[in-house]
Amino acid sequence: MHIEKMEELFRQWLQEKNFLAVKKEMSRLPVQDVAEILNHLDAKNSLLAFRLLPKDGAAEVFSYLSDKIRVAFSQMIEEDELKSLVEDLFFDDKIDFLEEMPANVVKKILQTTPESERRLINQFLNYPEDSAGSIMTIEFVDLKADMTVAQALTHIRYTAPKKETIYTCYVIDQERHLLGVVSLKDLVVADPDTRIEDLMDKQVIAVKTHDDREFVSSLFKKYDLLSMPVVDQENRLVGIITIDDVMDVLEAENTEDIQRMGGISPTEESYISQSPFTMAKNRLFWLMALMISATFTGRIIQKFEDFLQNMVILAAFIPMLMDTGGNAGSQSSTMVIRGLALGEIKTRDVFRVVAKEFMVSVIVGLSLAGLNFLRLVVIEQVSTTISLVVSLTLVVTVIMAKIVGGLLPLLAKMVKIDPAIMASPLITTIVDAMALVVYFYIAGLFIKI
């Protein structure tokens, strides 16, 4: 059944106090679907349904709830109940939860946390937000090089219930230096008396705690990993990153890029949960900046006001030229920004990008100009001179737009600015001004007034 229909059923059952139906349905659904339904209920009904979950399933559902609902729960439930929920979370989910909670809630939870775990939590909370350390977990299986396969499997059976993943095991020495990795598959098929040091893979793909999480996600994609070790500066194993956390990072980064490309300040809140004031604030800065920058096009038109008064027909083609230039530039910037995000384009490729965009723009520009010239002369019956001016301007505008659209994201990357900033709104504003200057210059060459 569709999730939206399930939400309506849950509301109906809760209103009718048919708690048995709610409990039965939640036991049947995947925890992710249960969390999605609870996220869309009001806080009171969501908590009411949540309390019908069995204890062993509540923590798992809790880890998938939205920050808004989790904050509401933390304010509505008793301290002991909240502490029990947090204790049952995997360590990385616990860190994610604490990062989003109000300071008084974090303080309340840490006060009842054992000293050793509290130190670890504080260490994790101090990692930079976009670092590998901020998304890693300490719940992994570690083995010693001198273990036999039989001993390793016994160790895994004993520790597995408390670990987030057991499919890849990490081999360390007495000082916790990372020596290698071994998969559960290799352990299962190997001779029980084989030593781990003879079985492990010493070529380990690892990251440092302060490496950027986007870099981490690119390594996962490149090497098709399910998990990756995180080491400190002395190559000591401090945690691992799992594929589910990388998927969250990719979603967050893609959302941020899309928001920047649309001229919106990035936010982690969902569209529905944001207040109109917050949404307006996130959009207003860019709209104001683009509005002010657009005054340059007005200044250019004012400068050629006398020219336009004597040749009014030229003004009719300004919107078409500006729109085509903006669209052409946006196409190039979108492709380059995506290429940078996927690692397909590097900053050293700047000349290759410019050359390619130039060749593309010549083909596109000439095609558009030829079609436009025929349209103006045959259908619109505009004079040949005016048609030629508009068509030549179209070629030059497309060439400039595509080069600018391809170049600006690369320049942004070089100076450590998010390339997504150099997207449609900004490119369009720049190209509009350039298109007008070119238009009036070419018109001045062909039309003597």
Side-chain angles (χ1 to χ4, degrees), residues 328-381:
S330 295
Q331 287 180 336
S332 299
S333 65
T334 299
M335 295 298 293
V336 173
I337 289 168
R338 190 58 182 160
L340 288 168
L342 295 175
E344 298 171 351
I345 299 174
K346 307 294 182 184
T347 51
R348 64 174 179 267
D349 297 324
V350 58
F351 294 111
R352 293 176 63 188
V353 170
V354 170
K356 181 163 288 190
E357 289 300 326
F358 175 76
M359 289 185 286
V360 171
S361 65
V362 169
I363 297 170
V364 171
L366 289 174
S367 301
L368 290 174
L371 179 63
N372 185 68
F373 184 81
L374 290 174
R375 178 182 69 87
L376 294 180
V377 173
V378 177
I379 300 176
E380 303 289 340
Q381 296 188 347

Side-chain angles (χ1 to χ4, degrees), residues 187-252:
L187 290 173
V188 171
V189 301
D191 186 282
D193 295 324
T194 304
R195 290 166 64 88
I196 296 300
E197 63 184 344
D198 297 327
L199 193 63
M200 68 183 185
D201 182 359
K202 297 179 182 178
Q203 301 296 320
V204 186
I205 307 299
V207 291
K208 297 285 196 299
T209 53
H210 283 73
D211 283 346
D212 188 87
R213 63 184 191 177
E214 279 195 82
F215 170 67
V216 173
S217 63
S218 70
L219 292 181
F220 266 82
K221 179 177 179 291
K222 181 178 180 180
Y223 296 103
D224 293 324
L225 300 173
L226 292 176
S227 62
M228 180 186 293
V230 182
V231 297
D232 61 15
Q233 296 302 320
E234 284 76 41
N235 199 43
R236 288 191 293 261
L237 183 62
V238 292
I240 67 168
I241 297 171
T242 53
I243 186 64
D244 59 316
D245 294 312
V246 171
M247 293 298 291
D248 292 339
V249 169
L250 288 172
E251 182 181 4

